[in-house]
Amino acid sequence: MTSSQPPERIVIVGASLAGATAAQTLRDEGYEGAVVLVGEEPSRPYERPPLSKGYLLGNDERESIFVHPEDWYAEHDVDLRLGTTVTAVDAGAHEVRLSDGGTLPYDRLLLTTGSAPRRLDVPGGDLDGVLYLRRVEDTDALREAFARKPRVVVIGAGWIGLETAAAARQSDLDVTVVEMAELPLLRVLGPEVAQVFADLHREHGVDFRFQTGVEALLGEGTVSGVRLSDGTEVPADLVLVGVGISPRTELAKDAGLDVSNGVDTDEHLRTSDADVFAAGDVANAWHPVLKQRIRVEHWENARQEGKVAAEAMLGRDSAHVRLPYFFTDQYDLGMEYTGYVDPTPGSALSYDEVVFRGDKTKREFIVFWLREGRVLAGMNVNVWDVVDDVAALITSGRTVDRARLADPEVPLDQL
């Protein structure tokens, strides 16, 4: 089967947001062939942001996290196979092998296998009370644990770690955050903006332990404390590990696809095999605006790439050109981030200047990351309805007047 022929069967591996969005797009585009969506989790596709935000806090009902109502899949003739693991992809035979010993043929294949939390490899890492946050069952376990009013240690001050810390403090729990860097989110935001989040959490009672790692988790059967690399011990009844995630590329590697920082794709989300596509956390996709491959681990990217991949599998000339976007809510701070900064020194997308616009002390501002006078990314904090204007500044590629960029009286759309 060549990629120019209309597909009779499309198999999607990964019942994720990207996978469910792709299935919906196929039907929305009028595709009448077979669609099989295979997921190893017992739950139908759901959105992950609420797991560390509204659902964890108890503000969102469980049903609200799902991408589609339960009967949507049958109504749209999508063969949803939950609790089923794909063990191998045979690209030559155009089929996938399943954990139950069966096989599924495909004409087009979409990999939306997502990512997995990095494990903490220290003594005591397998004690009860040591949790990771990736699946809805993890959030259920955290909510149950929060009700027991534990002393909480969060290992890793990234987005998941900070959002969980905020939820724990809002549940009036004792919270310590351990981070090897000097500030939270330092690699993502740089020191100028990372300090904002450090101050925010300290004001809400979080105890930060910066520039230290974890030597061991303590306890007999159940975790009771954390020994840090500086020798100090922090009591803990619950440890949440948030030290990053890794793309789940094993199927792609074993199938002989090109893999670097994820499954390599072009701007149409097509892999090195013309009949295999990838989307979401696992896809290291060529971005025609940024002119390099990037892998983005956020909700909006999974949704957009799922749509683009579906259209491309049907032969549409669809490409992923949207700038990366993500958001967070912590305490009374809400923010949106648009664009992309590569923290690797010397990268063409690393920044050399930061410009603030608004009141940083009140946490009502927009901050821009620039390189040679051009905007690479912008983040609006408690300032709304500016994402499109920020994106326009980035995609224009023009140099900006720093004074006007910093002046809230100058409308963004006039820059």
Side-chain angles (χ1 to χ4, degrees):
M1 163 112 200
T2 65
S3 59
S4 61
Q5 295 174 310
E8 295 180 8
R9 179 194 289 258
I10 293 176
V11 173
I12 304 169
V13 179
S16 57
L17 173 60
T21 301
Q24 177 180 334
T25 302
L26 290 170
R27 293 306 188 217
D28 288 348
E29 289 291 313
Y31 176 64
E32 297 180 351
V35 177
V36 185
L37 179 57
V38 184
E40 65 182 15
E41 295 188 47
S43 300
R44 69 183 188 274
Y46 54 86
E47 300 181 359
R48 297 191 191 274
L51 302 190
S52 58
K53 299 183 177 74
Y55 183 59
L56 177 57
L57 285 165
N59 298 332
D60 296 342
E61 296 295 330
R62 186 184 181 91
E63 188 62 26
S64 71
I65 73 174
F66 294 104
V67 183
H68 298 114
E70 190 169 6
D71 56 4
W72 182 91
Y73 299 93
E75 289 177 355
H76 291 80
D77 196 21
V78 173
D79 182 1
L80 178 61
R81 304 193 184 187
L82 299 176
T84 303
T85 301
V86 172
T87 59
V89 173
D90 187 334
H94 275 64
E95 66 180 22
V96 299
R97 299 185 193 124
L98 306 177
S99 52
D100 62 7
T103 60
L104 273 176
Y106 68 82
D107 298 312
R108 302 281 190 281
L109 176 68
L110 175 60
L111 299 175
T112 57
T113 48
S115 51
R118 296 192 185 111
R119 313 301 288 186
L120 188 65
D121 185 17
V122 298
D126 57 353
L127 289 169
D128 289 343
V130 179
L131 302 178
Y132 294 79
L133 181 52
R134 183 63 183 167
R135 299 185 172 187
V136 64
E137 293 82 7
D138 300 329
T139 301
D140 291 338
L142 268 177
R143 288 175 59 167
E144 182 180 331
F146 279 9
R148 297 193 291 269
K149 299 299 180 183
R151 297 164 296 179
V152 179
V153 172
V154 177
I155 300 174
W159 296 115
I160 292 294
L162 291 189
E163 289 176 357
T164 305
R169 284 300 300 137
Q170 287 171 270
S171 299
D172 200 30
L173 305 181
D174 179 79
V175 179
T176 302
V177 175
V178 180
E179 169 58 47
M180 294 191 69
E182 297 90 350
L183 288 167
L185 301 166
L186 186 60
R187 181 172 170 81
V188 179
L189 302 179
E192 304 88 349
V193 186
Q195 188 65 52
V196 172
F197 286 87
D199 294 343
L200 171 72
H201 281 267
R202 282 197 175 111
E203 287 176 18
H204 285 84
V206 171
D207 177 14
F208 278 114
R209 305 293 179 95
F210 289 124
Q211 293 182 278
T212 185
V214 175
E215 185 177 283
L217 303 183
L218 310 174
E220 296 292 333
T222 301
V223 70
S224 62
V226 180
R227 181 184 297 127
L228 305 181
S229 55
D230 62 9
T232 60
E233 294 185 2
V234 181
D237 308 301
L238 170 67
V239 173
L240 187 283
V241 181
V243 292
I245 57 179
S246 300
R248 300 183 62 188
T249 58
E250 297 82 6
L251 287 175
K253 284 181 181 176
D254 292 345
L257 303 179
D258 290 347
V259 173
S260 53
N261 176 34
V263 182
D264 293 344
T265 79
D266 62 14
E267 66 268 34
H268 309 292
L269 286 313
R270 182 180 287 108
T271 71
S272 53
D273 183 304
D275 288 331
V276 181
F277 295 71
D281 286 8
V282 77
N284 188 32
W286 177 260
H287 199 290
V289 177
L290 302 176
K291 298 187 176 1
Q292 69 176 54
R293 280 200 174 97
I294 62 170
R295 191 177 63 81
V296 180
E297 301 168 348
H298 296 290
W299 169 88
E300 177 67 11
N301 185 74
R303 193 171 66 89
Q304 291 293 329
E305 287 192 347
K307 183 175 185 295
V308 168
E311 293 170 348
M313 286 190 292
L314 297 180
R316 316 280 196 267
D317 188 23
S318 185
H320 182 52
V321 297
R322 290 281 294 272
L323 290 169
Y325 166 91
F326 63 91
F327 69 96
T328 192
D329 296 303
Q330 298 172 33
Y331 311 108
D332 57 354
L333 182 150
M335 81 82 176
E336 299 172 290
Y337 181 107
T338 306
Y340 184 78
V341 171
D342 188 339
T344 307
S347 164
L349 292 176
S350 62
Y351 72 94
D352 56 25
E353 187 177 4
V354 175
V355 174
F356 283 89
R357 174 190 183 96
D359 194 329
K360 185 178 175 183
T361 60
K362 292 183 178 179
R363 301 191 189 104
E364 294 179 1
F365 63 88
I366 310 173
V367 58
F368 301 92
W369 289 265
L370 284 70
R371 180 180 177 86
E372 298 175 353
R374 294 187 295 273
V375 178
L376 298 178
M379 184 175 83
N380 48 297
V381 175
N382 292 334
V383 175
W384 307 111
D385 301 321
V386 296
V387 168
D388 290 344
D389 290 331
V390 172
L393 283 173
I394 298 167
T395 55
S396 74
R398 299 173 183 165
T399 57
V400 296
D401 182 318
R402 277 84 157 176
R404 285 168 57 80
L405 184 65
D407 186 353
E409 298 302 315
V410 178
L412 285 176
D413 60 8
Q414 292 184 16
L415 292 170

